[in-house]
Amino acid sequence: MKIAVLGGDGFVGWPTSLHLSDLGHEVHIIDNLSRRWIDAELGVQSLTPMDSIQERTRIWKQETGNTIHFHLIDIAEDYQVFKNWLSANRPDAIIHFAEQRAAPYSMKSDQHKNYTVNNNVNGTHHLLNAMVELDLDAHLVHLGTMGVYGYSTVGAAIPEGYLNVGIDTMAGETVRQEILYPANPGSIYHMTKCLDQLLFQFYAKNDALRITDLHQGIVWGTHTDQTRRHDQLINRFDYDGDYGTVLNRFLIQAAIDYPLTVHGTGGQTRAFIHIQDSVRCIELALKSAPKRGDRVKVFNQMTETHRVRDLAEMISKMTGAKIAWLPNPRKEAPENDLVVENKQFLDLGLNPTTLEEGLLSEVVDVAKKFAYRVDRSRVPAVSAWTKDIAEGVERDPEHPRLRSVS
Amino acid sequence: MKIAVLGGDGFVGWPTSLHLSDLGHEVHIIDNLSRRWIDAELGVQSLTPMDSIQERTRIWKQETGNTIHFHLIDIAEDYQVFKNWLSANRPDAIIHFAEQRAAPYSMKSDQHKNYTVNNNVNGTHHLLNAMVELDLDAHLVHLGTMGVYGYSTVGAAIPEGYLNVGIDTMAGETVRQEILYPANPGSIYHMTKCLDQLLFQFYAKNDALRITDLHQGIVWGTHTDQTRRHDQLINRFDYDGDYGTVLNRFLIQAAIDYPLTVHGTGGQTRAFIHIQDSVRCIELALKSAPKRGDRVKVFNQMTETHRVRDLAEMISKMTGAKIAWLPNPRKEAPENDLVVENKQFLDLGLNPTTLEEGLLSEVVDVAKKFAYRVDRSRVPAVSAWTKDIAEGVERDPEHPRLRSVS
Ligand SMILES: NC(=O)c1ccc[n+]([C@@H]2O[C@H](COP(=O)([O-])OP(=O)(O)OC[C@H]3O[C@@H](n4cnc5c(N)ncnc54)[C@H](O)[C@@H]3O)[C@@H](O)[C@H]2O)c1
Ligand SMILES: NC(=O)c1ccc[n+]([C@@H]2O[C@H](COP(=O)([O-])OP(=O)(O)OC[C@H]3O[C@@H](n4cnc5c(N)ncnc54)[C@H](O)[C@@H]3O)[C@@H](O)[C@H]2O)c1
């Protein structure tokens, strides 16, 4: 298959491109390298020494003989260029990673909010729009997030995209209907993924595009079978306050003998998946494409859930690191349960790597190995979710959205 | 109150501005005049001879002594200019009409789809974002559309924004919950209004913005108490295939002895409201603002529903015009029922003008009076919803989204 990987220079996109190239597919990475620019903006860098995309693809060719093509295109800003590329290349499948993906970055300032909305919504819409315009019947696989569910339920397991509800009719009956799970995003970034969902729903219905949306948990782990083949194929590892996920940040903290910073009670439960499983899920999703006319196919791409404090304790136990309890800069419920359905990928043969078994290698082979590169000042989280939180204003616990009048 | 009317040069925005000015409010119109540019692009014009916004506000001042300020700002393109204006003026209320509002125009080409998404999503988001950034606690009143409900129900009346559903828990109970009515938009334009809804939900929740969303039906009628005061205050009347609503197009067809063109069976039911009632609803909504911390307040801003063919018959009876039955260029169910709740505005004192009583005046005082200005070639509808419809490809009736294989 000819596969376009939008955002193929990123954390998930790069190992996915290697994995698909290894399977014999013709891989074309399309990326505007904005993520590298954001590293420059924030003055942060990947813990792992990461080469340029041109250099990485050169090494891959040298090691395997396989070519991965790279095209510098901004899918949100250059509609015509992107459309022309699709028209000339007509890929069989398109994997769409090309979005601004950090919730804290999306909340940093009004400029960052605008950037995130504009980049993510226009990028996704340009893609859908061009596919229709070009009559391009490619299978579109998009990376969404578990965060569209808002981590809040009424005690029902989180289904794979669609919720079965009962609606009372005027005739006094109750009709069952499957609806897109009601969106409850917790940040501007997550909100753009909810907007994406509506775009997908519309284009699947109106134009019969074939779309799969992968609601992914937090991806952890650095190496895959392919990135291991050469030092210069190594994947990025973000640990700064914006792009570093909770687990990466714990790993780094442990490696530099900094206490593990748990925000709030650490009672938020999150869903996780190892990078190796993530690329494998994408392979599986590609093999089980929806048919023209089907509704959007949604998978929950996660393999286990953990409370943040349990993660901290797991790593503390492995490394001896201390735990520090801090106020929460995010606006979210302090404690939540999370039961997530993920039967579809398991049925397709996914065999998960658990945190329990993979974490130690991350500590030793990645965090400790590259600890000398850590910028200690980048370790705390900085973006505040609201002006009140930014200003440290006390909130009325009964009405957490209001300033308390004292 | 100091009120900013975004899109105040438009069909609903202009009479709203006059109405609010008449009530003694300080009105500031913000508009980029894009709608006038679109008239130029399409080579169409309002049936009624419509003056420039500068001239119209000059006449209003001359007739009433009231100043309506006009500011040429593009809220989707010029975030900084718009934010600076809000910061310098800090209005008490903001009424947001400033969107590309024609479904057919939004489906014309890939460029028109991109324009509509970009203009509407970024415009709305810039406004919300700037309000938070400036700590501006203004009441935001947005004009949404009944089209977000998708004109499809399971036999339940369309509630005012929120649907009460039953969700089955893991414990085997059924929990009742009010959710935002599941979006089912029928065009790119309608989809942008669904995206708006999620933006509002997020900013109401995260930043306690006070937001009212008016899900409006098709607005009909030309004159209000204020536009009647001087010929040059007259409102616009669109009748072209993109911006002309079904009723306006029937009126024009009748006035020029063209048959009333009904698409499909004419069995689609639509919701309507007279322009005089629309401006009154906005006044009522302003008076009943949500409190900080409340969820988005949604009103259904409509007063009656009619099937398209019944409208055609009503006008045919009044004028003697014939009815012509044509294929439907829209992708929609051929027949639908529509029962809409609108108790909130009625409770606040709205006293509707019905089509039955107001239609004749539209025929005589508007359509017939200005019939000499009609460009007959602009009367049929042109934008097709999908490539197949555009190309006249036969569809498989069982799978209407697929081309039939013959
Ligand atoms: N990393 C995670 O834990 C995680 C979890 C859930 C979902 N996801 C989703 O998976 C996808 C990939 O995540 P990631 O961690 O690899 O992110 P990343 O930031 O490392 O990679 C995204 C890539 O997209 C590119 N990009 C962004 N905007 C672009 C544009 N307009 N045009 C072209 N390229 C553009 C960036 O330059 C970057 O290389 C994202 O959509 C993200 O939301 C990631
Ligand atoms: N007319 C109807 O029947 C109807 C029905 C339901 C909902 N609505 C909604 O009510 C609102 C007003 O409708 P209308 O019929 O008056 O439309 P309109 O096109 O006549 O007016 C919209 C105005 O907004 C301005 N505008 C658009 N984009 C802008 C931008 N980026 N910056 C500044 N100004 C901008 C246009 O120049 C125009 O003057 C729309 O949001 C529409 O979706 C209208």
Side-chain angles (χ1 to χ4, degrees):
Chain A
M1 281 209 285
K2 188 191 276 191
I3 305 179
V5 182
L6 316 180
D9 187 42
F11 167 60
V12 191
W14 174 243
T16 300
S17 300
L18 296 182
H19 185 72
L20 296 175
S21 174
D22 215 22
L23 290 170
H25 298 296
E26 178 183 332
V27 174
H28 292 261
I29 289 179
I30 289 185
D31 204 297
N32 66 350
L33 307 183
S34 54
R35 190 62 191 79
R36 292 177 186 258
W37 187 89
I38 291 173
D39 276 349
E41 173 199 359
L42 301 177
V44 301
Q45 59 186 7
S46 167
L47 176 73
T48 50
M50 176 185 55
D51 280 6
S52 73
I53 181 69
Q54 294 87 347
E55 187 62 12
R56 304 205 281 188
T57 51
R58 188 184 69 73
I59 303 276
W60 179 247
K61 171 95 185 175
Q62 165 194 305
E63 294 298 303
T64 63
N66 294 340
T67 302
I68 292 181
H69 306 267
F70 169 63
H71 312 275
L72 183 68
I73 298 176
D74 189 320
I75 68 165
E77 293 293 328
D78 303 330
Y79 175 71
Q80 285 302 340
V81 174
F82 182 38
K83 177 177 154 187
N84 290 344
W85 187 88
L86 289 171
S87 166
N89 290 277
R90 302 192 75 83
D92 305 297
I94 300 172
I95 310 176
H96 175 25
F97 296 104
E99 297 188 272
Q100 193 300 97
R101 73 110 174 118
Y105 185 85
S106 78
M107 302 302 285
K108 261 188 135 56
S109 77
D110 59 341
Q111 298 296 339
H112 293 86
K113 291 179 189 176
N114 282 341
Y115 168 73
T116 302
V117 169
N118 195 66
N119 188 63
N120 295 5
V121 176
N122 281 339
T124 298
H125 184 249
H126 285 172
L127 170 59
L128 295 163
N129 195 357
M131 288 174 70
V132 171
E133 196 57 20
L134 300 170
D135 247 321
L136 179 61
D137 180 26
H139 176 202
L140 167 56
V141 177
H142 171 256
L143 274 286
T145 159
M146 288 293 304
V148 298
Y149 301 120
Y151 295 116
S152 92
T153 57
V154 290
I158 291 185
E160 305 207 53
Y162 299 92
L163 183 67
N164 192 297
V165 297
I167 301 174
D168 300 334
T169 68
M170 290 177 285
E173 291 154 20
T174 300
V175 175
R176 306 295 309 185
Q177 200 165 21
E178 287 222 315
I179 61 170
L180 205 58
Y181 196 93
N184 182 21
S187 76
I188 290 286
Y189 156 67
H190 290 107
M191 195 191 54
T192 63
K193 296 282 184 178
C194 298
L195 303 183
D196 282 347
Q197 287 199 85
L198 290 185
L199 292 171
F200 295 141
Q201 174 187 284
F202 176 78
Y203 276 92
K205 187 182 67 163
N206 195 67
D207 301 286
L209 292 188
R210 295 184 296 130
I211 304 172
T212 298
D213 201 4
L214 305 174
H215 290 184
Q216 189 168 242
I218 296 173
V219 184
W220 66 280
T222 308
H223 295 300
T224 63
D225 293 344
Q226 290 77 32
T227 63
R228 266 195 209 90
R229 295 206 194 150
H230 191 288
D231 278 351
Q232 283 179 273
L233 294 176
I234 199 164
N235 200 9
R236 66 181 304 143
F237 181 107
D238 298 305
Y239 66 92
D240 60 286
D242 287 300
Y243 282 86
T245 58
V246 58
L247 191 64
N248 278 11
R249 294 167 53 69
F250 285 161
L251 287 168
I252 287 300
Q253 289 168 335
I256 63 168
D257 294 322
Y258 192 98
L260 310 184
T261 47
V262 175
H263 296 283
T265 65
Q268 312 89 7
T269 309
R270 296 280 184 266
F272 294 88
I273 182 168
H274 189 272
I275 185 73
Q276 180 71 63
D277 294 337
S278 181
V279 302
R280 174 99 168 98
C281 283
I282 289 161
E283 177 196 346
L284 295 172
L286 281 174
K287 283 188 185 146
S288 106
K291 290 190 300 297
R292 270 181 86 81
D294 286 357
R295 70 179 184 186
V296 177
K297 188 162 185 168
V298 180
F299 290 87
N300 288 337
Q301 183 161 314
M302 52 69 68
T303 57
E304 54 192 315
T305 62
H306 294 280
R307 274 185 205 275
V308 170
R309 62 170 170 259
D310 296 338
L311 282 182
E313 274 153 20
M314 207 189 284
I315 294 176
S316 166
K317 218 174 282 169
M318 273 178 201
T319 62
K322 292 216 167 55
I323 298 177
W325 305 88
L326 299 182
N328 194 351
R330 300 200 180 205
K331 196 160 172 171
E332 61 190 355
E335 299 270 334
N336 74 309
D337 279 326
L338 188 62
V339 181
V340 182
E341 290 176 11
N342 67 341
K343 198 173 135 23
Q344 293 182 102
F345 274 131
L346 298 178
D347 286 352
L348 290 173
L350 182 71
N351 180 10
T353 308
T354 64
L355 267 162
E356 200 73 55
E357 64 199 43
L359 210 49
L360 196 63
S361 140
E362 285 300 310
V363 171
V364 177
D365 302 339
V366 183
K368 289 220 192 271
K369 177 166 176 198
F370 295 108
Y372 69 94
R373 288 171 51 90
V374 170
D375 174 356
R376 298 181 72 100
S377 72
R378 293 300 171 177
V379 174
V382 281
S383 300
W385 249 239
T386 65
K387 294 224 127 192
D388 290 354
I389 296 177
E391 292 157 11
V393 173
E394 272 296 315
R395 281 149 171 290
D396 177 344
E398 285 292 292
H399 297 95
R401 287 181 225 107
L402 301 180
R403 292 173 182 230
S404 65
V405 190
S406 56
Chain B
M1 280 208 286
K2 188 191 278 193
I3 305 178
V5 182
L6 316 180
D9 186 42
F11 168 59
V12 191
W14 173 243
T16 301
S17 300
L18 297 183
H19 184 73
L20 296 174
S21 175
D22 215 21
L23 290 170
H25 299 297
E26 178 183 331
V27 175
H28 292 261
I29 289 177
I30 289 185
D31 204 298
N32 66 351
L33 306 185
S34 53
R35 191 62 191 78
R36 293 178 186 258
W37 187 89
I38 291 173
D39 276 348
E41 173 199 0
L42 301 177
V44 300
Q45 59 187 7
S46 165
L47 177 72
T48 49
M50 177 184 55
D51 281 5
S52 73
I53 181 69
Q54 293 86 347
E55 185 63 12
R56 302 205 283 188
T57 51
R58 188 185 67 73
I59 302 277
W60 178 249
K61 171 93 182 175
Q62 166 193 305
E63 294 297 304
T64 65
N66 293 341
T67 302
I68 292 180
H69 306 267
F70 169 64
H71 312 275
L72 183 69
I73 298 175
D74 189 320
I75 67 165
E77 295 293 329
D78 303 331
Y79 175 73
Q80 284 302 339
V81 174
F82 181 37
K83 177 175 153 188
N84 290 344
W85 187 88
L86 288 171
S87 166
N89 288 277
R90 302 192 76 82
D92 305 297
I94 300 173
I95 310 176
H96 176 24
F97 296 103
E99 297 188 271
Q100 191 301 96
R101 71 111 174 117
Y105 185 85
S106 78
M107 302 301 285
K108 261 188 135 54
S109 78
D110 60 340
Q111 298 296 339
H112 293 87
K113 290 178 189 178
N114 282 341
Y115 168 73
T116 301
V117 169
N118 196 66
N119 188 64
N120 294 6
V121 176
N122 280 339
T124 298
H125 183 249
H126 285 172
L127 170 59
L128 295 163
N129 194 358
M131 287 173 70
V132 171
E133 196 57 21
L134 299 170
D135 247 320
L136 179 60
D137 180 25
H139 176 203
L140 167 56
V141 177
H142 171 256
L143 274 286
T145 158
M146 289 290 307
V148 298
Y149 300 121
Y151 295 117
S152 92
T153 56
V154 291
I158 291 185
E160 305 207 53
Y162 298 93
L163 184 67
N164 192 298
V165 297
I167 301 174
D168 300 335
T169 68
M170 291 177 284
E173 290 156 21
T174 300
V175 175
R176 306 296 309 186
Q177 201 164 19
E178 287 223 314
I179 60 169
L180 205 59
Y181 196 94
N184 182 21
S187 75
I188 290 286
Y189 155 67
H190 290 107
M191 195 191 55
T192 64
K193 295 282 183 177
C194 298
L195 302 183
D196 283 347
Q197 286 197 85
L198 290 185
L199 293 170
F200 295 141
Q201 175 187 281
F202 176 77
Y203 276 92
K205 188 181 68 162
N206 195 68
D207 301 285
L209 293 189
R210 296 183 295 130
I211 303 173
T212 298
D213 200 3
L214 305 175
H215 290 183
Q216 189 169 241
I218 297 173
V219 184
W220 65 281
T222 308
H223 295 299
T224 63
D225 292 346
Q226 290 77 33
T227 64
R228 267 195 207 93
R229 295 205 192 151
H230 191 287
D231 278 352
Q232 283 178 274
L233 294 176
I234 199 165
N235 200 8
R236 67 182 302 144
F237 181 108
D238 298 306
Y239 67 92
D240 61 284
D242 287 301
Y243 281 85
T245 58
V246 58
L247 190 65
N248 277 11
R249 292 166 54 68
F250 286 161
L251 288 168
I252 287 300
Q253 289 168 333
I256 63 168
D257 294 323
Y258 192 99
L260 310 183
T261 48
V262 175
H263 296 282
T265 65
Q268 312 91 6
T269 310
R270 296 281 184 267
F272 293 88
I273 183 168
H274 189 273
I275 184 73
Q276 179 71 65
D277 294 336
S278 180
V279 302
R280 174 97 168 101
C281 283
I282 288 161
E283 178 196 344
L284 294 172
L286 281 174
K287 283 189 185 146
S288 103
K291 291 190 300 295
R292 269 181 88 82
D294 286 356
R295 71 177 182 187
V296 176
K297 188 161 186 171
V298 180
F299 290 88
N300 288 338
Q301 183 162 314
M302 52 69 68
T303 56
E304 54 192 316
T305 62
H306 295 279
R307 275 185 204 276
V308 171
R309 62 170 170 260
D310 296 339
L311 281 181
E313 274 153 22
M314 208 189 282
I315 293 177
S316 165
K317 218 174 281 169
M318 271 178 202
T319 62
K322 293 212 169 58
I323 299 177
W325 305 87
L326 300 180
N328 194 351
R330 299 200 182 205
K331 196 158 172 174
E332 60 189 355
E335 300 270 333
N336 75 307
D337 280 327
L338 188 62
V339 180
V340 183
E341 288 176 12
N342 67 341
K343 196 171 136 24
Q344 292 182 103
F345 273 132
L346 297 178
D347 286 353
L348 290 172
L350 181 70
N351 180 11
T353 307
T354 64
L355 268 162
E356 201 72 56
E357 62 197 46
L359 210 48
L360 196 63
S361 137
E362 285 300 309
V363 172
V364 177
D365 301 339
V366 183
K368 290 222 193 271
K369 178 166 174 195
F370 296 108
Y372 70 95
R373 287 170 53 91
V374 171
D375 174 357
R376 298 180 73 99
S377 73
R378 294 300 172 177
V379 173
V382 282
S383 300
W385 250 240
T386 65
K387 295 222 127 193
D388 291 354
I389 296 178
E391 292 157 11
V393 174
E394 272 295 314
R395 279 148 173 291
D396 177 343
E398 285 293 291
H399 297 95
R401 286 181 227 108
L402 303 179
R403 292 173 185 230
S404 64
V405 189
S406 57

